[in-house]
Amino acid sequence: MDCRNEGCTQPQDEDIMDIPLDDPAANKAAAKIQAGFRGHMTRKKMKDDKPRDEVSSTGSTSICQG
């Protein structure tokens, strides 16, 4: 089905960009969101890397020190 024939409305670009980009509060909020996401991705990566290290039943790593 084609939306053009049924009169569907598409979101316009004007509605999407109604946030002033030079607003210091908006920039601060965006930086917080980005920092949180980057932290999330770093924690996720560290969690994925952790199972590769084998841990003995005593809780110490099984890497030989010599």
Side-chain angles (χ1 to χ4, degrees):
M1 296 174 85
D2 192 4
C3 245
R4 286 178 266 156
N5 295 338
E6 296 178 12
C8 295
T9 58
Q10 298 282 334
Q12 296 184 7
D13 292 335
E14 297 169 2
D15 294 337
I16 295 171
M17 296 297 297
D18 63 349
I19 300 171
L21 298 178
D22 59 347
D23 182 16
N27 287 334
K28 187 175 180 180
K32 278 190 152 193
I33 292 168
Q34 291 170 355
F37 183 76
R38 287 185 188 120
H40 163 75
M41 293 304 291
T42 300
R43 289 187 297 275
K44 184 177 176 182
K45 183 178 179 185
M46 289 176 67
K47 182 180 177 185
D48 290 344
D49 290 345
K50 202 170 197 174
R52 295 182 197 160
D53 297 337
E54 294 185 19
V55 178
S56 68
S57 60
T58 60
S60 63
T61 58
S62 61
I63 298 172
C64 296
Q65 297 188 13

